[in-house]
Amino acid sequence: MKRITVIGTGYVGLVSGAGISDFGHQVFCADINVEKIHRLQNGEIPIYEPGLDELVKRNVSSQRLSFTVDVNQAVRDAEVIFIAVGTPQRNNGEADISAVESVARVIGENLNSYKIICTKSTVPIGTGEMIIKIIKEMIPVDRRFDYVSNPEFLREGSAVKDFLWPDRVVIGATSKKAFAILRDVYRPLYLNETPMVHTNVATAEMIKYAANAFLALKISYINEVANLCEKVGADVHQVAKAMGKDGRISPKFLHPGPGYGGSCFPKDTHAIAELARKKGAPMNTIDATINTNTYQKKRMSEKLKDLLGGHFSGKTVGVLGLAFKPNTDDVRESSSITMIQSILDEGGSVKAYDPIANKEMEELFPNLNYCHSWIEACEAVDAVAIMTDWNEFRGMDLHYLKSIMKAPIILDTRNILSMKQLSEIGFEFDNVGRKVISHDY
Ligand code: UDX
């Protein structure tokens, strides 16, 4: 059992802290946000993440997991320190690593014995070196530490599962000793034969960006294929399915939609593209991925406008789904933001509904008509736009839906409704990449 401190109790820090304590270690989750720590100490989980509540409770009650605002003490007490603070995007596209820098200084001030400093936050390539430099300048010359880059690959909505059953663990370590200690931290996974990839620090930092940017690229690619499918009378679902049968391509992340959102893909693609430009090795594919995604989001409002006769003015739209994907209350970079903004900008109004993200969207758009069910959001509207593929929208009674709307117009940006049924019932509709009704839909 190791004594481990995780600094930062955001989504990454909390899931990682709870997950590591579940592996049998003594974990202190530390944060300077007093209110957040008090809530956690009182058993309240500040984010919505399936399974996290139970994971935290289980480990708090077995006294392996605790929360503290005393970051200094938590650093002094630990053998391994995970940095899991936020790295938001700056206006110029670069990642803002000021929180990481200040944590590095706190670690430097409190480094009372050999420790492993391990970064989980997604940081620009080269940040590891910078952290090492900051700490080295603050400690006596004979004090030792090792540095590890151990990026997270957690998806919101399935982060607990991703942490406890990962595809691989990437450990970019400055020494063999550090790698061995990290392998011990992840011992249950190691015993389960989860691949542990041992690299240097820069390689581990690069793996994270390269993986996320590639997934984003895959989505932008299939979205462009979808747009072309519409023009040539092909069905993008069948195209993606057949493409995915090729093991070299894989069927994952080939689902067309309204453009990717969330806290990772938009930020990480910008960060790697900026870094690549700065280093003189531009990534044109990622620049294109970003542009395609911006275009895809705008394209959704154009599609809806077309369905409404070319304008939003005086029209009321029921927007179903506000989160950037299902099973999360996160609305960051969600395509529904672009949709809502276009409707409002052009004189329309919005009735909005999300099973859990209404409150988050209210911070961005305080004056929308927020509803408590899809039924309420669709009553007397001129059109409905499905923006997130929540299961409850898949199961909507379309006959009933038609009966409560002012006009039967629907934009299904996630392709979750049966086109056959929509046309039989008499809806005027559009989707992404499926202008034709294929025989199996
Ligand atoms: C992502 C990565 O998957 C994860 O490994 C990383 O650590 C953090 O970023 P997350 O942002 O939680 O996770 O969501 P993800 O499930 O990857 O979806 C991102 C966006 O892409 C969503 O808006 C989703 O709707 C969209 N998406 C995903 C598609 O449009 N099509 C797909 O086929 C898959």
Side-chain angles (χ1 to χ4, degrees), residues 153-156 208 253 255 260-261 264 324-325 414:
F153 298 97
L154 310 176
R155 285 164 302 172
E156 290 186 29
K208 168 71 197 222
F253 280 71
H255 193 84
Y260 58 77
C264 289
F324 79 97
K325 67 172 193 178
R414 299 284 182 169

